[in-house]
């Protein structure tokens, strides 16, 4: 017994597969890649605006920004998702105790939930009673209905941290690469970074409802604006530092 549809039955026999939306990897991966690209591109632009063009300090700052950002993002994602997972487990345990202590009340509550969704009272009672024949199945259904969670598919903090670390590092490396290859100005990094921003935005549209050009252009504009502002700050602050 897996869900209400399994208990009630369904005439639909077509096969279709949904993408993983709860595995804990997509958000940190996307956020990591975008943040790495934008933040390091902006950092390098600021350094270029405040130091001599092609300075070795730009490369040093870029690599330091890559390392610091990747480790920081990974640590933050791990802590965030681990805390979210621990909170979910705590709430699941609360529901488990309630089912053990007040099984009748919880069964009635589940039936009322189905009735609120449009089930006939008799059918709602039957479905709730069927789930409550197995405490584990009852717990899963209560958690799905009340918390919107699948207790068997909670996000993994390790997956989130690894996804964030790898994708941030990849994104942050792109604006550094031209300097490592001998670039003497910010222009190659600008071209590569803006191109990568557009491509990243377009790729993200594959898992959303936005068009590829809209997502790509939005990311290009936001990242370009961040870099331009940071470059401007560098030109103001750099000469004063010496």
């Amino acid at each position: 017994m897996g869900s209400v549809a399994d208990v009630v039955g369904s005439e639909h026999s077509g096969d279709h597969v949904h993408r993983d939306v709860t595995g804990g990897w997509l958000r940190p991966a996307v956020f990591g890649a975008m943040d790495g690209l934008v933040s390091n591109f902006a950092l390098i632009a600021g350094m270029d605006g405040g130091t001599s063009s092609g300075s070795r300090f730009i490369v040093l700052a870029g690599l330091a920004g890559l390392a610091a950002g990747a480790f920081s993002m990974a640590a933050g994602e791990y802590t965030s998702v681990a805390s979210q997972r621990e909170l979910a487990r705590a709430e699941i345990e609360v529901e488990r105790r309630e089912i053990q202590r007040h099984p009748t009340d919880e069964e009635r509550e589940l039936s009322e939930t189905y009735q609120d969704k449009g089930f006939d009272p008799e059918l709602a009672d039957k479905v709730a009673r069927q789930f409550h024949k197995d405490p584990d199945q009852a717990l899963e259904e209560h958690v799905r209905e009340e918390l919107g969670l699948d207790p068997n598919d909670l996000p993994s903090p390790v997956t989130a941290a690894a996804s964030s670390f790898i994708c941030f590092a990849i994104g942050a490396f792109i604006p550094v690469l031209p300097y490592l290859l001998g670039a003497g100005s910010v222009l190659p990094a600008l071209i590569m970074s803006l191109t990568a921003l557009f491509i990243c935005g377009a790729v993200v549209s594959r898992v959303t409802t936005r068009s590829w050009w809209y997502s790509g252009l939005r990311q290009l504009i936001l990242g370009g604006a961040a870099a331009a502002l940071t470059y401007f700050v560098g030109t103001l602050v750099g000469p004063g530092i010496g």
Side-chain angles (χ1 to χ4, degrees):
M1 186 189 307
S3 67
V4 124
D6 296 328
V7 176
V8 178
S10 172
E11 295 181 359
H12 178 59
S13 59
D15 293 328
H16 65 283
V17 178
H18 289 290
R19 290 167 290 191
D20 178 16
V21 296
T22 61
W25 67 270
L26 180 59
R27 184 190 62 83
V30 172
F31 183 62
M34 295 297 189
D35 191 37
L37 183 53
V38 172
S39 64
N40 227 30
F41 177 37
L43 172 63
I44 288 174
M47 288 292 295
D48 190 273
T51 63
S52 59
S53 184
S55 169
R56 61 187 177 88
F57 292 111
I58 296 177
V59 176
L60 177 60
L63 294 177
L66 185 158
F71 283 115
S72 176
M73 286 286 291
E77 282 295 336
Y78 184 91
T79 302
S80 174
V81 176
S83 300
Q84 178 186 356
R85 187 184 180 97
E86 290 161 4
L87 174 61
R89 283 180 169 174
E91 291 301 309
I92 290 171
E93 287 305 310
V94 169
E95 193 62 34
R96 187 191 303 277
R97 289 195 296 270
E98 286 299 307
I99 292 173
Q100 291 172 345
R101 295 172 182 174
H102 311 289
T104 302
D105 292 340
E106 289 296 306
E107 182 179 324
R108 181 167 56 250
E109 180 182 51
L110 189 59
S111 174
E112 291 172 352
T113 298
Y114 297 148
Q115 291 179 51
D116 289 341
K117 290 184 174 182
F119 281 49
D120 291 332
E122 182 179 350
L123 179 58
D125 289 342
K126 180 180 178 181
V127 174
R129 185 165 56 253
Q130 182 69 23
F131 272 115
H132 272 262
K133 288 182 178 180
D134 183 340
D136 291 334
Q137 290 291 333
L139 175 64
E140 288 187 19
E141 190 65 12
H142 276 276
V143 169
R144 288 192 184 96
E145 294 294 339
E146 296 179 33
L147 302 178
L149 297 172
D150 183 344
N152 299 315
D153 190 26
L154 297 178
S156 166
V158 173
T159 299
S163 299
S164 181
F165 180 91
I166 294 171
C167 292
F168 184 98
I170 293 173
F173 184 71
I174 291 174
V176 182
L177 181 58
Y179 288 97
L180 294 176
L181 296 178
S185 72
V186 75
L187 183 60
L190 174 67
I191 294 173
M192 285 190 65
S193 297
L194 292 180
T195 301
L197 283 168
F198 184 85
I199 292 173
C200 285
V203 169
V204 169
S205 72
R206 299 291 297 175
V207 294
T208 68
T209 58
R210 291 290 189 182
S211 63
W212 64 270
W213 61 267
Y214 177 89
S215 294
L217 190 60
R218 177 178 60 182
Q219 196 58 43
L220 185 152
I221 292 173
L222 292 175
L229 290 172
T230 311
Y231 180 87
F232 178 68
V233 171
T235 60
L236 292 178
V237 177
I241 294 177

